[in-house]
């Protein structure tokens, strides 16, 4: 047998390596002992891990052996009765500390752990390297009324966005409606939420009005955890994008409602623009200092006045302060526009359109520090409003028709991180995605809905207290 292979045409000699391992002779009894020890160890680990199953089972066996089947049935009945009693007396603590922890454990065992490795592999989240399999570790399952939250340890090389992209696949793999992934405080973990029942299915009633609006956190709706969604208006402009019927009106009205206390006391002035003929905002006329609709020329005029006001204020504040603080003498100015594209794109008169565009550009780029804020609704983010879109620091994405529109509204990679605005059903108006300060993934919220009667009532209760003669309605 040749010891050295020489590949024809190659000058380097190749030596085959002998890697035969030495054979060990092990007696049969030692092997059986090893298997038994290993089995015992694994069983003990499982018994400790699933203590909530093994402990009651052991206890039941002991009661039965010691006192008989009848006593066991009595104990089981007593436990069941005390659970029912707890539920009836204090359902909140029962659900939190009794029911959902149990459901979480059962679901972790029956639904998730059973098929975990297979689902990880088919969803592209497991990998193989150097002959070893790497499967992300499922750390914890927490169930609630609406779904399950899985805490997972990331594999080296994975980032939360990978899970964001796979979240929908995971949801379907575990037979859930939808899924979303979010990062946590710990960089080695990700939380995947798989939704069984939509927590935002119900309409949100109008929220309470504060006498002095908190401009750092106006409450406009609720998030999936039932927590209030707070929008920061101070130092910002707000763009609300959504297809027709997606509920842009409810965002505008929720915002106006949250400002209503300030409107009544004169701390906030609202100038409303309703280029679609005044249909949406007309019911709130008592709240507005200026209300312009329909006629593009007059709307351009009102915008130019806002610019003039902004410049005067900037001149006054220069060298005094860097951020305007609203007072009744010098109130916050909020310009509410129901359809931005109707001001910037659909007007046929080019001169008027240019005037409007110039004023809007100035207000958006210079208004924030001097207490002039623009809140605008927009149907189609692709329309000719591109230069303005980037001047809105706060953006809200309601139902959109195309997946590409999501990133246009909420920023790059927002859809990959879970903002599925194009998947919001038509039957859920007022549901949308927002980006919160300090939270990487967009959060799903539902805005409060004000009926026409609520809006009229709001107008009656919070009409501006100052002299009505300074109100101007310009058709
Ligand atoms: N937050 C909400 N909760 C429940 N229902 C809502 C909500 N917002 C809107 N709706 C319902 O959806 C309908 C359409 O809403 P809205 O008029 O606000 O849509 P829009 O986005 O302004 O549409 P358009 O672009 O055509 O003006 C409303 O008549 C109302 O019935
Ligand atoms: Mg509307």
């Amino acid at each position: 047998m040749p010891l050295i292979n020489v590949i024809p045409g190659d000058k380097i000699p190749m030596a085959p390596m002998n890697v035969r391992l030495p054979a060990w002779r092990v007696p049969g009894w030692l092997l059986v002992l090893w298997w038994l020890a290993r089995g015992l160890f694994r069983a003990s680990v499982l018994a400790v891990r699933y203590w909530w199953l093994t402990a009651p089972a052991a206890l039941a066996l002991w009661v039965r052996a010691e006192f008989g089947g009848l006593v066991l049935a009595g104990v089981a009945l007593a436990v069941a009765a005390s659970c029912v009693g707890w539920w009836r007396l204090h359902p909140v603590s029962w659900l939190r500390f009794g029911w959902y922890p149990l459901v979480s454990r059962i679901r972790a065992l029956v639904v998730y752990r059973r098929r975990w490795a297979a689902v990880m592999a088919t969803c592209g989240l497991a990998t193989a390297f150097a002959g070893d399999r790497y499967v992300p570790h499922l750390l914890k399952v927490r169930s609630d009324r609406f779904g399950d939250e899985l805490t997972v340890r990331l594999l080296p090389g994975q980032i939360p966005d990978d899970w964001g992209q796979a979240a929908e696949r995971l949801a379907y793999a575990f037979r859930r409606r939808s899924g979303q992934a979010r990062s946590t405080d710990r960089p080695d973990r990700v939380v995947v939420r798989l939704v069984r029942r939509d927590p935002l299915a119900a309409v949100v009633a109008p929220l309470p009005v504060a006498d002095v609006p908190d401009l750092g956190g106006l409450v406009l709706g609720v998030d999936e955890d039932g927590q209030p969604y707070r929008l920061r208006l101070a130092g910002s402009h707000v763009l609300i994008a959504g297809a027709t019927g997606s509920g842009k009106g409810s965002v505008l009205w929720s915002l106006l409602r949250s400002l209503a206390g300030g409107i009544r006391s004169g701390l906030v002035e609202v100038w409303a623009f309703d280029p679609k003929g005044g249909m949406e905002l007309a019911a709130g006329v008592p709240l507005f200092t200026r209300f312009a609709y329909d006629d593009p020329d007059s709307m351009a005029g009102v915008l130019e006045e806002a610019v003039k006001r902004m410049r005067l204020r900037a001149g006054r504040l220069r060298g005094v302060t860097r951020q305007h603080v609203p007072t009744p003498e010098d109130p916050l100015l909020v310009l509410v526009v129901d359809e931005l594209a109707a001001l910037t794109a659909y007007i046929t008169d080019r001169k008027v359109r240019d005037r409007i565009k110039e004023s809007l550009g100035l207000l958006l780029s210079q208004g924030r520090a001097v207490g002039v804020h623009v809140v605008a609704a927009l149907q189609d983010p692709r329309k000719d409003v591109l230069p303005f879109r980037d001047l809105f620091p706060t953006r809200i994405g309601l139902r959109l028709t195309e997946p590409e529109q999501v990133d246009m509204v909420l920023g790059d990679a927002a859809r990959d991180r879970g903002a599925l605005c194009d998947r919001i059903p038509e039957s859920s108006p007022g549901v949308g995605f927002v980006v919160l300060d300090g939270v990487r993934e967009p959060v799903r919220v539902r805005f409060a809905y004000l009926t026409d009667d609520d809006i009229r009532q709001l107008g009656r209760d919070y009409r501006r207290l100052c002299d009505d003669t300074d109100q101007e309605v310009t058709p």
Side-chain angles (χ1 to χ4, degrees), residues 253 271-283 288 291-295 299 336-339 342-343:
W253 281 114
W271 293 17
F273 298 80
D274 196 347
K276 289 198 287 189
M279 289 286 288
E280 177 67 50
L281 299 175
F288 307 144
F291 181 43
Y293 61 94
D294 237 10
D295 175 27
M299 284 193 282
V336 174
V337 184
D338 184 37
E339 177 53 59
L343 282 186

Side-chain angles (χ1 to χ4, degrees), residues 71-312:
V71 176
L72 178 63
V75 171
L77 218 64
V79 171
S82 46
C83 286
V84 172
W86 186 8
W87 171 46
R88 302 304 305 171
L89 284 175
H90 205 269
V92 177
S93 64
W94 156 250
L95 289 176
R96 168 125 194 243
F97 299 109
W99 181 245
Y100 286 128
L102 183 68
V103 171
S104 307
R105 291 197 160 96
I106 294 174
R107 296 185 65 74
L109 191 64
V110 177
V111 180
Y112 297 111
R113 289 201 193 283
R114 203 163 56 88
R115 296 169 50 216
W116 186 251
V119 170
M120 288 299 101
T122 50
C123 291
L125 292 165
T127 186
F129 174 70
D132 288 325
R133 285 191 322 160
Y134 291 86
V135 179
H137 194 54
L138 175 61
L139 298 171
K140 200 168 71 182
V141 176
R142 199 174 63 84
S143 300
D144 57 30
R145 253 178 86 198
F146 304 107
D148 305 320
E149 248 179 33
L150 320 183
T151 307
V152 183
R153 179 170 299 132
L154 297 167
L155 287 183
Q158 284 184 341
I159 55 169
D161 284 6
D162 297 334
W163 285 73
Q165 283 168 28
E168 207 182 353
R169 248 181 273 281
L170 278 175
Y172 276 88
F174 289 118
R175 309 282 180 264
R176 291 286 162 265
R177 274 172 191 285
S178 64
Q180 209 188 353
R182 66 161 199 272
S183 48
T184 66
D185 301 342
R186 297 188 48 161
D188 63 334
R189 291 182 184 188
V190 67
V191 171
V192 186
R193 182 162 180 84
L194 304 178
V195 178
R196 190 171 46 219
R197 187 149 45 111
D198 186 2
L200 300 178
V203 175
V204 179
L207 299 162
V209 184
D211 278 343
V212 181
D214 173 9
L215 299 173
L218 298 166
V219 180
L220 305 190
V222 293
D223 68 10
E224 288 190 336
D225 297 330
Q227 298 301 312
Y229 161 56
R230 294 175 188 276
L231 175 129
R232 195 164 62 81
L233 184 62
S236 194
H237 302 295
V238 185
L239 181 69
I240 306 146
T244 177
S246 61
K248 297 185 290 296
S250 71
V251 185
L252 291 178
W253 281 114
S254 298
L255 185 89
L256 286 167
R257 186 177 166 87
S258 69
L259 290 171
I263 295 174
R264 184 167 62 180
S265 60
L267 220 55
V268 178
E269 232 177 63
V270 177
W271 293 17
F273 298 80
D274 196 347
K276 289 198 287 189
M279 289 286 288
E280 177 67 50
L281 299 175
V285 164
L287 301 170
F288 307 144
T289 309
R290 288 298 190 81
F291 181 43
Y293 61 94
D294 237 10
D295 175 27
D297 192 38
S298 62
M299 284 193 282
V302 178
L303 280 172
E304 280 162 354
E305 241 174 88
V307 172
K308 216 184 289 170
R309 170 91 79 96
M310 177 184 77
R311 286 196 163 140
L312 278 174

